[in-house]
Each structure stands twice: as structure tokens, then as C-alpha cells.
Amino acid sequence: MRIGELAARAGTTTRTLRYYEARGLLPARRDGRGHRTYDESDLRLLRQIRTLQDFGFGLEETRPFVECLRAGHPEGDSCPASLMVYRRKLAELDALIGQLTAVRETVAGQLARAERARDDLAAEALVPGGPEPACELGGLTR
């Protein structure tokens, strides 16, 4: 099949396919007239790359999966190098989850502090002669 058909079947663009070819992820076969030619195995490579990218893997992180398929394995993640990439990605995700959890705890603490301060101010406003509650933008909170 030609590049346009492969791009359509893979749900991508010919420009993307040429980029993958330049990066060595997609084979660069040519017919007698110099046109790029592809087969079903190339479509499998592309689907593997796109699936991994949809999961947040970088293009270079897909290389071991592509090489595994090229080596004739039925799945791109059945090789040791692919499994290492999975492990690294999980460790990266765990670290990011830890960072996000810490940020969430900080924001939740700030919200709780702000709500207590607002409630304290509202309670003081109920006392005769207490302050009039107002937001930082000058609007009243009543």
C-alpha cells in the first residue's frame, strides 16, 4: 500500500509517517518508481506506536515495542526491553502521582484555612459592632 492509504488506515497523516520513517521507526521501502510502499506489518507497527503515545509514552519510548514486533513477536510488549520501558513509565507515573498528591494536600489545606478564616469573619460580623464581611475585590459576602 502507498503512504496515503497507510496514513488513512492508521488514522494519522503522511507527514507523521515520514517523520517516523526519518526516526527509524517505520521502514523506508520504495517501489520501482520511488514511491514508499507499506504492508500490514507496518500498520501493526503504527498501531503500536499510536497506542503507546495515547497512553503518554514518548516516541523514543515506543522504539523497543516496534523492534519487538519487527523481530517477529506477536506482541510488541513481549520482549525484555519493552518490559523495561513499562517499568520505567510506571515509576515515572508513581512519582508524578506522589507529586500531585502532595500538591493536592497543600491546596486542600489552603482551602480549609481560607474557609475557617471566612467562617471566623462571618461569626465576628454577627457580633454587634463587628466587622462588615467583604471579599478582597471589595464586594460584600452577604
Side-chain angles (χ1 to χ4, degrees), residues 48-121:
Q48 179 76 77
I49 292 168
R50 304 233 345 137
T51 297
L52 291 168
Q53 287 190 307
D54 288 347
F55 292 155
F57 285 69
L59 189 57
E60 278 307 307
E61 290 175 311
T62 69
R63 188 172 298 281
F65 298 85
V66 168
E67 290 171 357
C68 191
L69 285 171
R70 279 190 183 156
H73 295 273
E75 300 294 329
D77 58 5
S78 59
C79 296
S82 302
L83 298 175
M84 276 188 1
V85 172
Y86 275 152
R87 287 185 193 100
R88 274 197 314 265
K89 183 56 81 174
L90 281 174
E92 179 185 316
L93 290 169
D94 287 342
L96 289 171
I97 289 168
Q99 292 171 358
L100 286 172
T101 299
V103 169
R104 186 191 188 291
E105 289 170 0
T106 300
V107 171
Q110 287 294 99
L111 175 61
R113 182 205 51 78
E115 288 176 334
R116 281 191 307 273
R118 180 208 57 209
D119 293 345
D120 290 346
L121 184 59

